[in-house]
C-alpha cells in the first residue's frame, strides 16, 4: 500500500507521462524521458534514466526489475479508432544491467507488465513477451498450453499480489450480444484468470462479461447463436477492467462487477454503476473503490455500498491528467503538473483533491444541514422559468437575487462574482455558485444546478461546466 504523504504543490513538479506503483514506491516516467523511483513523500529515491527527449509512455516495476516504453503514445488513449502506431523503445533494467530494444508495435499498446521474469507489451489484443535482455520469448515456453493458446487473441492484465504470486487475466471477444436492449456493448467477452507462482499456473476459472470494451474493425462473422468465428479484427475503445487484491473488478455499461476469484466456489456480484456522462478511458480498483477517468472527470464508486463521487478538475484548470495508480485509500495522479496524491479523506488546502473539486452523488447529496438552505431553496423556486431578461443573460442577477434572501448584496454579473465570496477547492455544497466565462449557476446537490438555459431559468448540471470557478457566500 502506498501511504500518502505528498501534498506540496511543487513536491514533484516534473511533467509525468507514466506511473506505476510497487513495494511502497512510485515509478515515474517523465515527458522528457526520465525514469525515477519516488517515495510517498514525493522525493526521488533512484534514477533509472536521465532526460533523453523521448516521452515515456508506460512504466512497470516488480521484484524482477523496472521496464519502460519511450516514444509517442500515452497511458490514456482517447476513445477513438487508432491510427498507425509509431515505433517505440523498450528498456529493461534488471539488477545493475540495462537493455534497450526498438520495437514496432503491431497495434496500440495498452499496458506494460512484468509476468514472472518477463516483460509483456500488451496490445488491444495479443501481447509480446521479452526476457530481461530484450529477447522475444514465445508464450509456449513458459505458459501452460491453455494459457498460451489465449495470448494472441486476448487482452492481458497482470497484478502482483501481496503473497508474491501474480494474477494474469485474459479477455477475448467471444460472441455477439443478441439482447436488442443493449446497444452500447454488442460483444460478450470471455475472461479467464490464472494465478502464477513458483513457476506454476493455476487456472482460477472464467466468466462472460461485456466489460471488455472491444469493437469489431470491419465485418463480423458469427454463427446463428452469436458465437464469433473467423479472423475478425477488433480495436479497444476504453479500459473497464481492473485487478484488486481480492479479485477482478470491472465496469459493465450498467454495473460494477466484483469477481472474488480467490474464494472457493466464487460467484460474480454486481451493483448498479454510477450514471455519470462519459466513458471510462481508464479504469482501476483499490481497496473497496473503483475509479475511472472519463477524459473530463474522475469518478469513484464504492464497490460494496455503491456510494459515488465525481472529481472535476476545477482547482487546477491547466492540469492534464496522464496516468493513475490506485491503492487501498486513494489514488496517485500523474499529470503535466507533476505527481499528486488524491486522498478522499484529506483534501489539500491549496489544491483540494489534487486539483479536483468533489461532488457527492446520491439522494443524500441533495439535502443540506445548513439552516439557510430552506431560504435559498424557496428563493430559487421563485425564479423557476423566469426569462433571461430578468435573470441576466449569464444568470448573475438571479444569483444575486437568490442570495438577497440571506441579507447578502452580491455583484450581478458573472465576472464580478468570480472574485467575490470564498473560493471552494474541495467539496461542493448546496448553494455554492459555479462560474464560467459566460454563465453562472447555483449548485443544488447530486450534480444538479439551477441556471439560465435556453433563455429561461431551469435545472442544469455540473457537466455543462468543463471548467468552473466555485464561490461560497455566507451571511
Amino acid at each position: 500500500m502506498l501511504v500518502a504523504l505528498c501534498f506540496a504543490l511543487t513536491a514533484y513538479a516534473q511533467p509525468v507521462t507514466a506511473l506505476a506503483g510497487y513495494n511502497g514506491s512510485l515509478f515515474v516516467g517523465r515527458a522528457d524521458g526520465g525514469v525515477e523511483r519516488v517515495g510517498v513523500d514525493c522525493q526521488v529515491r533512484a534514477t533509472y534514466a536521465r532526460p533523453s527527449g523521448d516521452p515515456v509512455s508506460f512504466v512497470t516495476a516488480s521484484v524482477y526489475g523496472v521496464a519502460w516504453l519511450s516514444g509517442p503514445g500515452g497511458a490514456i488513449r482517447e476513445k477513438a479508432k487508432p491510427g498507425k502506431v509509431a515505433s517505440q523503445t523498450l528498456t529493461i533494467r534488471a539488477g545493475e544491467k540495462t537493455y534497450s530494444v526498438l520495437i514496432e508495435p503491431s497495434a496500440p499498446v495498452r499496458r506494460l507488465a512484468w509476468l514472472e521474469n518477463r516483460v509483456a507489451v500488451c496490445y488491444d489484443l495479443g501481447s509480446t513477451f521479452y526476457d530481461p535482455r530484450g529477447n522475444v520469448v514465445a508464450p509456449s515456453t513458459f505458459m501452460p498450453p491453455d494459457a498460451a493458446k489465449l495470448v494472441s487473441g486476448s487482452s492481458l492484465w497482470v497484478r502482483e499480489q501481496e503473497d508474491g504470486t501474480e494474477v494474469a487475466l485474459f479477455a477475448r471477444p467471444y460472441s455477439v450480444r443478441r439482447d436488442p436492449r443493449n446497444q452500447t456493448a454488442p460483444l460478450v467477452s470471455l475472461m479467464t484468470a490464472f494465478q502464477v507462482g513458483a513457476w506454476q499456473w493455476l487456472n482460477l476459472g472464467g466468466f462472460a462479461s461485456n466489460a471488455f470494451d472491444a469493437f469489431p474493425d470491419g465485418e463480423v462473422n458469427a454463427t446463428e447463436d452469436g458465437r464469433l468465428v473467423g479472423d475478425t479484427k477488433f480495436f479497444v475503445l476504453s479500459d473497464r477492467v481492473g485487478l484488486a487484491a481480492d479479485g477482478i473488478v470491472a465496469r459493465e455499461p450498467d454495473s460494477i462487477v466484483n469477481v472474488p476469484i480467490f474464494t472457493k466456489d466464487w460467484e460474480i456480484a454486481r451493483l448498479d454503476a454510477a450514471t455519470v456522462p462519459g466513458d471510462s478511458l481508464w479504469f482501476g480498483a483499490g481497496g473497496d473503490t473503483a475509479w475511472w477517468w472519463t477524459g473530463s472527470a474522475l469518478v469513484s464508486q464504492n464497490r460494496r455500498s455503491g456510494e459515488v463521487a465525481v472529481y472535476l478538475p476545477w482547482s487546477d484548470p491547466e492540469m492534464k491528467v496522464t496516468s493513475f495508480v490506485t491503492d487501498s485509500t486513494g489514488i496517485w495522479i500523474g499529470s503535466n503538473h507533476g505527481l499528486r496524491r488524491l486522498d478522499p479523506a484529506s483534501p489539500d488546502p491549496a489544491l483540494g483533491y489534487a486539483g479536483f473539486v468533489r461532488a457527492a452523488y446520491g439522494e443524500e447529496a441533495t439535502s443540506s444541514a445548513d439552516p439557510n438552505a430552506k431560504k435559498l431553496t424557496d428563493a430559487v423556486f421563485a425564479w423557476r422559468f423566469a426569462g433571461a431578461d430578468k435573470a441576466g443573460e449569464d444568470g448573475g442577477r438571479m444569483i444575486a437575487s437568490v442570495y438577497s434572501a440571506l441579507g447578502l448584496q452580491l455583484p450581478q454579473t458573472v465576472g464580478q462574482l468570480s472574485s467575490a465570496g470564498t473560493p471552494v477547492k474541495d467539496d461542493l455544497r448546496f448553494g455554492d455558485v459555479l462560474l464560467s466565462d459566460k454563465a453562472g449557476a447555483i449548485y443544488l446537490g447530486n450534480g444538479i444546478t439551477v441556471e439560465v438555459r435556453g433563455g429561461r431559468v431551469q435545472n442544469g448540471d455540473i457537466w455543462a461546466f468543463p471548467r468552473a470557478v466555485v464561490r461560497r457566500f455566507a451571511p
Side-chain angles (χ1 to χ4, degrees):
M1 182 178 73
L2 300 175
V3 179
L5 297 174
C6 175
F7 289 104
L9 179 62
T10 57
Y12 191 94
Q14 293 291 337
V16 175
T17 52
L19 194 59
Y22 175 70
N23 198 26
S25 294
L26 295 157
F27 293 80
V28 176
R30 297 182 357 190
D32 60 11
V35 178
E36 295 172 322
R37 179 169 65 87
V38 178
V40 294
D41 58 358
C42 289
Q43 300 302 308
V44 176
R45 297 290 188 265
T47 298
Y48 301 104
R50 300 198 177 277
S52 64
D54 294 325
V56 177
S57 54
F58 294 91
V59 63
T60 183
S62 82
V63 68
Y64 304 108
V66 182
W68 61 92
L69 276 176
S70 56
I76 299 176
R77 197 174 75 218
E78 294 298 326
K79 185 169 183 177
K81 186 176 177 179
K84 181 176 174 57
V85 183
S87 60
Q88 297 188 44
T89 299
L90 172 64
T91 303
I92 302 173
R93 176 71 177 265
E96 297 300 319
K97 295 184 178 181
T98 302
Y99 298 90
S100 295
V101 57
L102 183 67
I103 65 173
E104 301 285 346
S106 58
V109 178
R110 270 291 171 184
R111 60 195 67 86
L112 193 66
W114 284 91
L115 180 56
E116 294 184 307
N117 66 336
R118 300 162 185 87
V119 176
V121 178
C122 308
Y123 314 118
D124 279 356
L125 295 175
S127 300
T128 304
F129 300 91
Y130 297 84
D131 69 16
R133 293 176 176 267
N135 300 309
V136 175
V137 180
S140 59
T141 62
F142 68 97
M143 292 184 183
D146 54 342
K149 186 178 179 180
L150 294 172
V151 171
S152 62
S154 301
S155 193
L156 172 65
W157 289 262
V158 181
R159 185 185 193 274
E160 184 171 324
Q161 300 293 102
E162 292 184 1
D163 62 2
T165 65
E166 296 166 326
V167 174
L169 175 67
F170 297 89
R172 60 187 177 95
Y174 178 76
S175 66
V176 178
R177 178 169 288 274
R178 294 300 189 182
D179 185 347
R181 296 169 297 178
N182 191 342
Q183 300 296 318
T184 59
L187 295 180
V188 173
S189 293
L190 290 183
M191 301 191 180
T192 307
F194 293 84
Q195 186 173 16
V196 185
W199 309 103
Q200 295 182 342
W201 288 60
L202 173 65
N203 191 326
L204 298 175
F207 62 100
S209 172
N210 58 0
F212 184 41
D213 199 10
F215 272 67
D217 185 7
E219 184 178 352
V220 176
N221 296 317
T223 61
E224 289 186 1
D225 62 357
R227 181 174 176 177
L228 297 171
V229 295
D231 297 323
T232 304
K233 294 183 178 180
F234 298 87
F235 63 95
V236 175
L237 293 178
S238 61
D239 274 340
R240 294 180 177 171
V241 178
L243 302 182
D246 60 345
I248 302 162
V249 184
R251 182 169 186 251
E252 295 177 342
D254 300 318
S255 305
I256 296 293
V257 182
N258 292 300
V259 188
I261 54 176
F262 301 110
T263 303
K264 184 179 180 180
D265 300 325
W266 55 262
E267 294 184 2
I268 297 175
R270 289 180 169 88
L271 73 160
D272 292 341
T275 54
V276 299
D279 295 292
S280 55
L281 302 181
W282 170 90
F283 184 93
D288 286 340
T289 305
W291 296 85
W292 64 93
W293 169 249
T294 69
S296 60
L298 187 61
V299 183
S300 70
Q301 181 166 8
N302 188 296
R303 56 193 180 95
R304 313 296 182 192
S305 68
E307 183 180 2
V308 179
V310 298
Y311 295 82
L312 302 135
W314 291 349
S315 296
D316 188 2
E318 301 304 318
M319 177 179 63
K320 296 181 180 179
V321 176
T322 58
S323 48
F324 299 91
V325 169
T326 61
D327 57 38
S328 61
T329 60
I331 186 169
W332 291 90
I333 298 171
S335 75
N336 60 322
H337 287 177
L339 177 63
R340 294 180 180 175
R341 171 70 180 182
L342 193 163
D343 184 346
S346 303
D348 178 73
L351 286 173
Y353 296 98
F356 294 83
V357 175
R358 179 169 66 183
Y361 260 54
E363 289 302 317
E364 67 281 358
T366 62
S367 61
S368 174
D370 188 337
N372 294 312
K374 187 177 187 310
K375 292 181 180 179
L376 288 176
T377 301
D378 291 344
V380 166
F381 186 79
W383 277 87
R384 188 74 58 181
F385 306 121
D389 54 342
K390 181 181 178 182
E393 291 291 337
D394 61 5
R397 288 203 298 272
M398 174 199 68
I399 294 169
S401 176
V402 167
Y403 269 89
S404 69
L406 302 184
L408 298 177
Q409 292 185 341
L410 302 186
Q412 297 193 5
T413 68
V414 164
Q416 294 169 326
L417 286 166
S418 296
S419 57
T422 302
V424 175
K425 293 185 177 295
D426 46 20
D427 291 273
L428 287 181
R429 298 181 189 171
F430 179 92
D432 284 345
V433 175
L434 313 183
L435 304 161
S436 68
D437 292 339
K438 298 180 180 180
I442 298 174
Y443 187 61
L444 303 182
N446 202 28
I448 302 169
T449 64
V450 61
E451 59 193 71
V452 176
R453 298 183 66 202
R456 291 193 173 276
V457 176
Q458 52 188 301
N459 283 136
D461 55 49
I462 55 177
W463 308 107
F465 292 82
R467 294 287 184 265
V469 171
V470 187
R471 289 291 189 269
R472 184 168 296 155
F473 300 94

